[in-house]
Amino acid sequence: MTKTLFMNARLIDPVALTDAPGAVLVEDGIISQVFDIATPDITGPEVVECKGKCLAPGIVDIGVKVSEPGERHKESFRSAGRAAAAGGVTTIVTRPDTLPAIDTPETLEFVESRANIDAPVRVLPMAALTKGREGREMTEIGFLQDAGAVAFTDCDRVVTNTKVFSRALTYARSLDALVIAHIQDPGLSEGAAVTSGKFASLRGLPGVSAMAERMGLDRDISLIEMTGARYHADQITTARALPALERAKRNGLQVTAGVGIHHLTLNELDVADYRTFFKVKPPLRSEEDRLAVVQAVADGLIDIICSMHTPQDEESKRLPYEEAASGAVGLETLLPAALRLYHAGQIDLPRLFRALALNPSKLLNLPSGRLSAAAPADLILFDPDAPFVLDRETLQSKSKNTPFDGARMQGKVLGTWVAGEQVGGTA
Amino acid sequence: MTFRAQHLLGIEPLHPTEITTVLDLADQYANDPGSPKHRNVLAGMTQINMFFENSTRTQASFELAGKRLGADVMNMAMQASSVKKGETLIDTALTLNAMHPDILVVRHPHSGAVDLLAQKVNAAVLNAGDGKHEHPTQALLDALTIRRAKGRLHRLSIAICGDVSHSRVARSNIMLLGKMENRIRLIAPPTLMPSGVAEFGCEVFHDMEEGLKDVDVVMMLRLQKERMDGGFIPSEREYFHRYGLDAAKLRHAKDDAIVMHPGPMNRGVEIDGTIADDINRSVIQTQVEMGVAVRMAAMDLLARNLRTRRWQAMEGEGVMV
């Protein structure tokens, strides 16, 4: 029986919403005891001296794109797993928008076996909601669930046919399956590269109104009211969509929402002179929208922060802006970027980890994301203040398409543990 | 005389004094365009015109400008070339760069594509129009035309009318005329007005007669039919009725207001033929003429900066010069 004591730590507890000195005892990969004194007097266990740094539950990142199968040169389970371990992400929940899409139990099994061999962190796969993510026929939701799919999503494709979508939701409800959707009105957002407004007009780029997001959410909420399915909006990025989300929650619908880290920390002006590493989907928003969304995370209206990790190679980014691929890698920059909100005084650390670890775990009915007895010992130790300048070449991801290249950041992961085993960091 | 730019990618990065420098030099070229004394300005230099989008007029204007300055001019019709075979823009740029051109004139259907290309080559790059972004030489030639007709390029009331939303000419003109402290009025149906345009410091009108009231300059834009993916306006005839420039609408402008159009014109869609041909009002032919002069001036200035940079690089390497 292995015992490890993490002592002299600053415990970030997203359940009790506390940030206080303490210690954590881990036995056989499970947290067995949490102490509110920094140096409990117990003998026997191996000791990790935390030196007053932050110990928090590991990040659970919903919506990570690992480009296996299909585009392994962009990201493999090995590289994504290493990136996750380096970034303090202890569970990655993978997207099915691969080539081919993960839409059968057989392809799902391939993903699971590859992940088991190569990734040092926990990997939970999601599956497509419709076959080929084409929005026509639903996938074998039951079989896929049995095979381990934790949620169903067509990723950035909207199921435009409301009849198809409502049937899939109804069917998913009977299995208590979680459906994750991208909320963009497909007509308005077609061909858009940026958010419409002064910046889009100055650069002569096709824009989409921020209203397209609320329209997508409004439609989906109506369908949830109709079907009663368990639903999560992958990214809410605009102020205008927030009242609709709040109403839906108040009315008792099983609706939750997430936001990508890039929309919390960057705005449309960062695109500047057509910098395609800042091209994400949905496009970056105005500063007013960014601030509204940050506030919504602090208030708990938006439940989850995710990295929306999307590896793209140089070839697909070194193109004119409209033609360039969307997406940015985020596993390794998720925590330091999120700490920008903490350093700006917009959110405290327990609430940050509520969005990074606890809420995603709850959404997927996982025991992780908590700093309490009986929870798995998926832990990260980090120094929230350590400054550094990001060099994209140092990233573990095979693809280096980060918008934070050269950015000054604060916050370093000192150690990552999955089930009590250290998988990242040198602490 | 000030002109520091390495490339001419847009009006946005230019300082007003740089704009004045180009216009002053272009003025000189315009007075004596075909003179043999200009033949050594770009002598020994290679100019490549790369047009990824169809153009006859702009390409011819750049070609003529280069030839009048003595450059070796080469036209590459990029639509018919390796781009079709899947070559990326950057590879095309690197291939061209290996041929050591001195001046690259580029038109591309995507906004920002010329900026991207300019980052990868050693030549001086002139943007001949990128997507819906900028078309700087068009704005400069318009400015020169206005300055010659009105005697000044400031404190004028200028109306830009038509498909503002899809027009790079409009964007460059808004930038340039704004930098020179003019009053800009944009007139278009709301579906053809770009979003956030009120923040540009322009006045926005959806009614021609109201918008044209007492303006000094009426700048018409081409209704870019090829850009319409459908449904911006109900029909051409309704557009002409409400937004086409005819004598009745022009009466609201000042009596000596000039009429401009970047060409090619759609007679009977955005402009009435008789207005376009009215030698007392229309300066459309002058615009074409100024186009060559402005392009000569821009290439001349960029070539001077290019020579200076090369000179400095050689000195830096310790080469005896």
Side-chain angles (χ1 to χ4, degrees):
Chain A
M1 185 150 140
T2 59
K3 280 191 184 185
T4 312
L5 180 68
F6 293 81
M7 59 182 273
N8 201 13
R10 176 177 162 192
L11 301 185
I12 309 299
D13 184 341
V15 178
L17 293 176
T18 54
D19 175 352
V24 168
L25 183 65
V26 171
E27 290 182 56
D28 288 335
I30 304 286
I31 296 175
S32 62
Q33 211 175 341
V34 179
F35 304 91
D36 57 6
I37 46 169
T39 51
D41 188 19
I42 39 174
T43 49
E46 207 178 296
V47 166
V48 176
E49 166 58 54
C50 298
K51 297 175 186 162
K53 302 303 182 201
C54 296
L55 188 69
I59 297 168
V60 178
D61 192 1
I62 298 181
V64 173
K65 168 94 178 263
V66 177
S67 311
E68 274 189 73
E71 296 173 300
R72 207 164 146 189
H73 66 286
K74 291 187 179 178
E75 193 82 288
S76 65
F77 279 101
R78 184 186 297 270
S79 61
R82 282 185 185 156
V89 177
T90 50
T91 302
I92 58 180
V93 182
T94 58
R95 299 211 306 254
D97 54 346
T98 44
L99 294 172
I102 309 301
D103 58 359
T104 61
E106 290 75 19
T107 46
L108 191 80
E109 274 164 26
F110 167 82
V111 168
E112 288 175 319
S113 67
R114 290 285 305 124
N116 282 337
I117 296 167
D118 270 349
V121 301
R122 297 181 203 268
V123 178
L124 298 172
M126 297 192 283
L129 182 67
T130 65
K131 287 176 187 159
R133 302 197 295 128
E134 284 170 354
R136 286 200 286 270
E137 303 161 60
M138 69 178 94
T139 51
E140 295 172 310
I141 295 176
F143 277 154
L144 284 160
Q145 204 174 26
D146 292 344
V150 295
F152 296 84
T153 178
D154 281 354
C155 301
D156 62 356
R157 290 201 195 149
V158 176
V159 183
T160 50
N161 185 326
T162 44
K163 194 163 252 174
V164 172
F165 194 42
S166 68
R167 282 186 188 143
L169 286 167
T170 305
Y171 193 84
R173 192 200 168 209
S174 69
L175 298 165
D176 194 32
L178 175 69
V179 174
I180 300 184
H182 186 68
I183 45 166
Q184 283 294 312
D185 180 76
L188 272 184
S189 59
E190 192 188 345
V194 289
T195 304
S196 60
K198 184 187 176 191
F199 179 77
S201 295
L202 267 177
R203 289 288 176 269
L205 290 171
V208 56
S209 164
M211 196 58 97
E213 184 170 289
R214 194 179 87 190
M215 289 169 66
L217 184 63
D218 278 341
R219 183 200 79 156
D220 284 6
I221 286 173
S222 307
L223 290 171
I224 298 312
E225 208 174 312
M226 190 171 107
T227 59
R230 215 149 60 80
Y231 173 91
H232 176 74
D234 66 346
Q235 301 179 79
I236 289 191
T237 59
T238 62
R240 280 194 169 134
L242 294 171
L245 174 66
E246 199 196 348
R247 228 172 13 252
K249 285 188 165 189
R250 204 170 50 228
N251 291 343
L253 301 180
Q254 296 194 77
V255 171
T256 53
V259 59
I261 189 62
H262 300 112
H263 290 89
L264 287 173
T265 50
L266 303 168
N267 69 30
E268 59 183 352
L269 300 181
D270 286 303
V271 171
D273 288 325
Y274 305 100
R275 296 199 284 173
T276 55
F277 279 22
F278 290 79
K279 185 176 180 183
V280 290
K281 207 170 173 184
L284 291 173
R285 307 301 193 181
S286 68
E287 180 64 2
E288 291 77 38
D289 278 329
R290 185 187 77 84
L291 290 173
V293 170
V294 168
Q295 187 60 47
V297 173
D299 295 343
L301 176 59
I302 290 180
D303 304 85
I304 288 170
I305 301 174
C306 56
S307 70
M308 287 311 286
H309 183 83
T310 306
Q312 296 289 3
D313 54 17
E314 306 283 310
E315 283 68 40
S316 47
K317 281 288 187 184
R318 299 274 184 226
L319 290 170
Y321 199 85
E322 280 171 65
E323 290 186 326
S326 297
V329 291
L331 282 169
E332 286 160 89
T333 45
L334 175 57
L335 182 62
L339 286 169
R340 283 186 170 181
L341 308 180
Y342 163 68
H343 291 296
Q346 291 160 325
I347 192 167
D348 58 25
L349 289 176
R351 282 177 178 79
L352 195 58
F353 276 85
R354 180 177 68 183
L356 287 169
L358 177 64
N359 285 343
S361 297
K362 279 183 172 172
L363 187 63
L364 303 178
N365 297 318
L366 305 174
S368 57
R370 297 156 176 92
L371 213 54
S372 50
D378 295 357
L379 300 168
I380 60 170
L381 181 66
F382 66 98
D383 178 349
D385 301 313
F388 68 101
V389 175
L390 186 84
D391 173 3
R392 70 191 187 106
E393 295 306 325
T394 63
L395 295 177
Q396 300 286 327
S397 279
K398 280 192 181 179
S399 295
K400 314 290 185 192
N401 55 312
T402 172
F404 294 113
D405 186 38
R408 290 156 200 267
M409 307 190 98
Q410 261 182 293
K412 272 187 178 169
V413 174
L414 304 172
T416 306
W417 289 264
V418 174
E421 294 290 323
Q422 185 161 6
V423 295
T426 52
Chain B
M1 189 148 107
T2 323
F3 191 82
R4 297 227 176 99
Q6 185 175 344
H7 306 296
L8 183 62
L9 300 177
I11 298 296
E12 198 186 2
L14 294 183
H15 190 271
T17 58
E18 291 182 300
I19 294 170
T20 306
T21 301
V22 180
L23 298 183
D24 289 349
L25 184 61
D27 223 5
Q28 292 175 29
Y29 280 127
N31 291 333
D32 189 11
S35 165
K37 71 185 178 199
H38 305 319
R39 293 268 158 78
N40 55 0
V41 171
L42 296 182
M45 286 197 154
T46 307
Q47 171 193 342
I48 302 183
N49 297 333
M50 297 170 71
F51 281 66
F52 294 88
E53 195 181 73
N54 267 333
S55 160
T56 315
R57 307 157 58 97
T58 308
Q59 186 172 334
S61 182
F62 269 108
E63 186 175 351
L64 187 58
K67 284 184 169 160
R68 283 190 175 160
L69 296 177
D72 299 315
V73 186
M74 190 173 124
N75 289 314
M76 291 181 75
M78 299 310 294
Q79 284 184 313
S81 82
S82 49
V83 179
K84 285 261 163 72
K85 297 174 192 159
E87 188 175 62
T88 66
L89 182 61
I90 287 187
D91 285 333
T92 307
L94 294 176
T95 307
L96 268 175
N97 200 42
M99 299 179 192
H100 303 289
D102 303 287
I103 293 171
L104 277 178
V105 178
V106 188
R107 169 170 288 191
H108 197 281
H110 288 307
S111 304
V114 182
D115 295 50
L116 182 65
L117 193 135
Q119 293 165 18
K120 302 287 166 187
V121 296
N122 301 320
V125 177
L126 286 100
N127 181 358
D130 64 323
K132 295 184 286 175
H133 180 219
E134 285 229 45
H135 190 354
T137 54
Q138 178 70 41
L140 288 163
L141 75 88
D142 288 342
L144 184 61
T145 307
I146 295 171
R147 202 171 79 166
R148 285 170 75 106
K150 291 282 157 197
R152 67 175 199 270
L153 190 61
H154 55 91
R155 290 201 212 157
L156 293 167
S157 183
I158 299 166
I160 302 177
C161 325
D163 185 2
V164 180
S165 161
H166 294 94
S167 174
R168 54 197 174 211
V169 175
R171 271 174 193 67
S172 288
N173 266 312
I174 291 168
M175 295 282 168
L176 191 152
L177 297 169
K179 279 177 198 271
M180 307 313 276
E181 307 198 345
N182 295 283
R183 202 166 158 181
I184 305 166
R185 309 176 129 211
L186 302 179
I187 312 171
T191 44
L192 294 177
M193 195 67 91
S195 61
V197 79
E199 295 170 55
F200 286 25
C202 305
E203 290 173 82
V204 175
F205 296 90
H206 302 305
D207 179 278
M208 275 292 262
E209 297 185 355
E210 207 184 314
L212 288 179
K213 195 165 173 357
D214 295 332
V215 299
D216 300 290
V217 178
V218 183
M219 230 181 228
M220 299 306 298
L221 298 171
R222 177 181 164 77
L223 183 65
Q224 309 216 9
K225 279 189 252 177
E226 72 268 22
R227 290 267 174 75
M228 297 284 162
D229 13 54
F232 286 87
I233 50 163
S235 70
E236 282 181 12
R237 62 181 190 180
E238 180 164 331
Y239 182 80
F240 181 65
H241 177 68
R242 292 178 55 84
Y243 294 96
L245 187 67
D246 55 21
K249 295 189 188 99
L250 186 57
R251 223 167 279 138
H252 294 267
K254 278 192 189 156
D255 291 338
D256 62 348
I258 55 168
V259 173
M260 308 176 72
H261 192 295
M265 276 183 282
N266 298 307
R267 287 171 187 256
V269 180
E270 69 257 358
I271 190 162
D272 186 278
T274 52
I275 300 286
D277 298 334
D278 181 351
I279 51 164
N280 295 316
R281 309 303 288 270
S282 165
V283 292
I284 295 169
Q285 296 310 315
T286 317
Q287 286 175 275
V288 178
E289 196 185 330
M290 292 307 117
V292 180
V294 151
R295 287 167 183 132
M296 289 168 80
M299 289 197 287
D300 180 356
L301 291 166
L302 288 172
R304 292 183 204 187
N305 291 352
L306 184 68
R307 286 195 197 97
T308 311
R309 276 203 315 284
R310 287 180 178 164
W311 198 262
Q312 285 164 346
M314 277 159 69
E315 280 184 330
E317 284 167 15
V319 179
M320 295 288 283
V321 286

